[in-house]
Amino acid sequence: MNNDFRKSTVYQIYPKSFCDTNKDGLGDLRGVIEKLDYIKELGVDYIWLTPFFVSPQNDNGYDVEDYYNIDPRYGTMEDVEELIAEGKKRGIGLMFDMVFNHVSTRHEWFRKAMEGDPYYKDFFIFRKGKGDGVPPTNWESKFGGNAWEYVEKFDEYYLHLFDVTQADLNWENENVRKEIQKILKFWMEKGVRGFRFDVINLISKACYEDDETGDGRKYYTDGPKIHQYLKEMHDATFGKDEGIVTVGEMSSTTMENCFKYAGRDTGELSMVFSFHHLKVDFMGNEKWVLVPTDFQKLKDIIFDWQTKMAEHNAWNAVFWCNHDQPRVVSRFGDEGKYWKESAKMLGTIIHCLRGTPYVYQGEEIGMTNTDFTDISQFKDVESLNHYQILQDKGLSASDALRIIQIHSRDNGRTPMQWDDTKYAGFSAEDSAEPWIAVNGNHTRINAAEQLKDEDSIFHYYQKLIAMRKELDVIAYGDIEPLAVKDPCVFAYRRTYEGHELIAAANFYGRDCTWKGAPDVTGYERVIGNYKDAVSVENGVMNLRPYEAAVWYK
């Protein structure tokens, strides 16, 4: 394991969809143990596991009922301890996903609150309504509907920014913060080497007032005490161990706040996830629409975050995919003729940026969006809610389904494609049917095939991950955007102590010419997704469909 997170790469596992060893149709922790050698071969330093704690699974584990115990459907505490130990043997640290904005309404704290225990009632955000049947504010839940749920017993409402079964915690209460510190210390003592904090910038609420837009975000995003809370958590727990890596998922955040969240000397977190670059196929903040990708906006956002975070000595997590996002090769690449080239091109762009790269399970083999044709195949609560909401707004069922097919979180949640057998090697052929359907293209796109093929997407990702360890310019270098206004080229220069690296990519499935390209004479082409070199003459670079190349001097 590389203790310098700037030289590291993180592999994200969604356990439910990774590998099923007990034949019940759900991935489990023993499945992660079974695949550790595959993950080691890829070359990553950390595994981020999405939550596997006891949960009713209304939001796939992001509704935690018990932070100290393992959901039996995933395994046992002994499995977790073995996974940590076996990862350590292979130089891989475990990063756990901690959901601290809210808990399941089945959590002991909430059950005691509902019994009327004043100590635990203050763990949550209860408010009187504005009148008969009128919630305290007009805020909208991120999963649709009002964000307040009425409790007749108290004649009060509790806040749930997500599902009605996910009650927001009251971070104003010092006892809540102390309980969270206890949870982190417990897992640190077990040997966990990293933490990813779910929607952590929502924990400080500014006030409880109506919002003219109706969503309420301005009152709970990057709130007034957020930096105080993070510093306190840092100082009491993971800040005592320099080897622990932390990353905060920052929902609709501002860059100015991220300078503090992930500043080198601010004492909060190692790095941040921001999502602005993954809204370039939205209409404003609205994702449930079909609009073309705004490539110029994508470049502007990535370069803005890259350069300004660097200026403020702050660190990014860089990524295309996770369990909440569609598959990037379907989203920004090509599932067809240029599948392999476009998957490699997208990997090249991310892995040579300033920041720690995250690879989501299956990204390294070019997995695509689902091939679902009926709403009954989808499992995600957000997708199912919005399928109905879109029809309530007047869309036809077929138009609503098309939007769900493109944007659903289930696109990233279909079973990992290990081989070409019936259930893609996720489960044995005599297993229960997987909890969500396997993509039919697993007969063509699978890890077994790619491990045998030196020209595969897997081996390309393996090389990108190794390059970050080998070339200090990737880990530590400054970044200079290139081809900033070019309609098809994504390019940048990295520099560090006399070393230089130039990355260039054609974002589209057609030939393109980059006029004003840098002279790469005397540079070594260290990686590229076409076998032969890019044509560069007199400041003109001719790039083939989805071509990417990186030069080093």
Side-chain angles (χ1 to χ4, degrees):
M1 181 173 62
N2 198 313
N3 273 332
D4 184 347
F5 59 79
R6 294 172 295 177
K7 277 190 168 283
S8 299
T9 301
V10 182
Y11 188 82
Q12 183 195 350
I13 290 177
Y14 191 69
K16 190 175 183 179
S17 298
F18 193 62
C19 180
D20 167 24
T21 60
N22 64 357
K23 302 186 178 184
D24 65 352
L26 294 170
D28 45 58
L29 293 169
R30 297 225 63 82
V32 180
I33 295 167
E34 187 178 287
K35 300 298 183 182
L36 280 172
D37 288 338
Y38 168 87
I39 297 164
K40 178 176 170 55
E41 186 170 351
L42 186 59
V44 303
D45 305 276
Y46 295 91
I47 292 170
W48 154 28
L49 289 160
T50 58
F52 48 80
F53 307 113
V54 175
S55 165
Q57 298 289 323
N58 291 324
D59 188 22
N60 285 292
Y62 283 88
D63 47 329
V64 178
E65 183 178 338
D66 181 349
Y67 293 100
Y68 294 102
N69 283 296
I70 312 309
D71 195 307
R73 71 195 88 192
Y74 290 122
T76 65
M77 184 64 80
E78 290 72 27
D79 292 334
V80 172
E81 289 165 348
E82 184 180 339
L83 176 56
I84 291 168
E86 290 298 320
K88 186 177 180 182
K89 283 183 196 171
R90 293 164 176 81
I92 299 169
L94 271 292
M95 176 187 281
F96 281 12
D97 202 330
M98 309 311 287
V99 188
F100 289 148
N101 176 69
H102 47 263
V103 297
S104 167
T105 51
R106 279 173 39 178
H107 194 288
E108 181 185 22
W109 301 340
F110 192 80
R111 285 192 277 112
K112 287 184 174 178
M114 292 296 278
E115 288 164 8
D117 184 328
Y119 179 82
Y120 285 103
K121 193 158 177 266
D122 194 39
F123 271 43
F124 301 94
I125 299 164
F126 281 92
R127 291 290 182 276
K128 288 287 183 189
K130 287 188 297 192
D132 191 21
V134 182
T137 74
N138 64 348
W139 299 359
E140 188 176 324
S141 158
K142 290 183 181 282
F143 290 168
N146 191 271
W148 296 92
E149 179 71 3
Y150 183 63
V151 180
E152 187 174 2
K153 178 178 179 180
F154 305 135
D155 189 28
E156 289 179 323
Y157 294 76
Y158 69 83
L159 180 67
H160 61 94
L161 293 180
F162 294 86
D163 188 64
V164 67
T165 64
Q166 292 167 292
D168 277 51
L169 286 166
N170 174 22
W171 275 70
E172 291 276 336
N173 183 345
E174 185 182 11
N175 294 320
V176 169
R177 306 199 301 274
K178 295 269 191 223
E179 288 290 342
I180 280 159
Q181 291 164 20
K182 275 169 56 181
I183 294 162
L184 291 173
K185 288 172 184 171
F186 174 85
W187 289 111
M188 285 168 62
E189 285 167 13
K190 290 276 187 190
V192 173
R193 304 308 296 152
F195 295 106
R196 181 260 191 191
F197 295 108
D198 185 63
V199 294
I200 195 67
N201 65 320
L202 307 186
I203 60 176
S204 171
K205 278 71 172 177
C207 60
Y208 301 96
E209 296 177 7
D210 278 352
D211 179 1
E212 63 276 6
T213 67
D215 65 16
R217 288 180 200 209
K218 70 180 183 182
Y219 294 125
Y220 60 72
T221 304
D222 301 323
K225 294 184 180 176
I226 182 64
H227 299 290
Q228 172 194 324
Y229 294 157
L230 289 180
K231 280 181 177 146
E232 181 183 81
M233 185 166 68
H234 169 280
D235 292 349
T237 60
F238 52 81
K240 296 178 186 293
D241 183 342
E242 284 187 3
I244 289 185
V245 175
T246 55
V247 57
E249 181 195 27
M250 301 299 169
S251 173
S252 303
T253 190
T254 67
M255 203 184 309
E256 290 70 26
N257 275 293
C258 289
F259 299 156
K260 298 176 189 171
Y261 293 142
R264 192 174 298 167
D265 303 311
T266 54
E268 296 187 26
L269 302 170
S270 308
M271 66 191 88
V272 290
F273 285 119
S274 64
F275 296 90
H276 300 70
H277 68 297
L278 294 178
K279 295 180 179 177
V280 295
D281 52 359
F282 288 18
M283 191 175 288
N285 264 328
E286 175 53 52
K287 88 172 185 178
W288 302 103
V289 292
L290 292 183
V291 294
T293 298
D294 187 334
F295 176 55
Q296 186 60 52
K297 187 176 177 185
L298 177 72
K299 286 201 292 185
D300 290 347
I301 290 169
I302 290 178
F303 286 146
D304 200 31
W305 277 79
Q306 284 280 299
T307 55
K308 288 179 181 164
M309 289 286 277
E311 285 167 18
H312 289 83
N313 286 322
W315 199 251
N316 284 305
V318 290
F319 68 103
W320 290 126
C321 298
N322 63 34
H323 62 289
D324 285 335
Q325 300 292 333
R327 292 286 180 179
V328 70
V329 73
S330 300
R331 188 174 192 176
F332 299 143
D334 178 11
E335 291 184 0
K337 182 178 179 182
Y338 296 111
W339 162 70
K340 186 186 283 190
E341 291 83 0
S342 64
K344 291 179 179 181
M345 177 276 290
L346 290 159
T348 307
I349 287 174
I350 285 294
H351 281 260
C352 294
L353 287 172
R354 180 185 182 276
T356 299
Y358 284 66
V359 177
Y360 178 61
Q361 63 183 51
E363 179 187 346
E364 77 282 5
I365 59 168
M367 279 180 61
T368 68
N369 280 355
T370 74
D371 53 358
F372 296 167
T373 56
D374 192 276
I375 194 64
S376 64
Q377 295 173 280
F378 289 88
K379 308 295 183 185
D380 173 38
V381 59
E382 183 191 37
S383 301
L384 298 174
N385 286 352
H386 278 90
Y387 178 69
Q388 189 55 52
I389 289 167
L390 288 167
Q391 290 179 79
D392 292 345
K393 288 179 177 176
L395 267 69
S396 68
S398 59
D399 285 344
L401 178 61
R402 184 66 189 137
I403 291 170
I404 301 301
Q405 287 169 327
I406 298 290
H407 289 298
S408 175
R409 301 191 299 181
D410 281 340
N411 284 309
R413 299 177 180 184
T414 56
M416 176 69 183
Q417 293 167 204
W418 295 106
D419 59 35
D420 63 0
T421 57
K422 180 180 177 185
Y423 294 138
F426 163 74
S427 295
E429 296 203 21
D430 60 345
S431 300
E433 201 167 308
W435 74 276
I436 190 170
V438 173
N439 195 313
N441 65 19
H442 73 276
T443 55
R444 175 174 59 89
I445 301 174
N446 63 70
E449 282 298 313
Q450 297 211 16
L451 287 167
K452 293 185 289 190
D453 176 10
E454 284 302 316
D455 188 44
S456 68
I457 298 164
F458 177 91
H459 284 112
Y460 194 88
Y461 264 72
Q462 188 183 49
K463 189 166 183 183
L464 287 169
I465 291 163
M467 275 169 51
R468 174 166 290 269
K469 293 178 174 60
E470 293 158 9
L471 302 178
D472 286 353
V473 67
I474 299 178
Y476 309 129
D478 294 330
I479 184 159
E480 176 197 348
L482 302 174
V484 175
K485 296 297 180 187
D486 191 286
C488 62
V489 175
F490 198 116
Y492 49 88
R493 188 194 317 268
R494 306 289 311 280
T495 52
Y496 179 72
E497 295 184 348
H499 298 256
E500 192 174 317
L501 179 136
I502 293 168
N506 175 3
F507 206 76
Y508 291 97
R510 56 182 184 270
D511 292 341
C512 81
T513 301
W514 176 17
K515 293 175 181 172
D519 183 4
V520 292
T521 307
Y523 290 68
E524 177 193 357
R525 178 176 174 267
V526 286
I527 197 167
N529 63 349
Y530 280 74
K531 283 185 176 150
D532 50 335
V534 177
S535 160
V536 190
E537 272 184 56
N538 303 320
V540 176
M541 184 179 290
N542 296 302
L543 291 160
R544 288 160 286 193
Y546 296 110
E547 183 160 19
V550 179
W551 296 267
Y552 170 71
K553 183 169 74 169

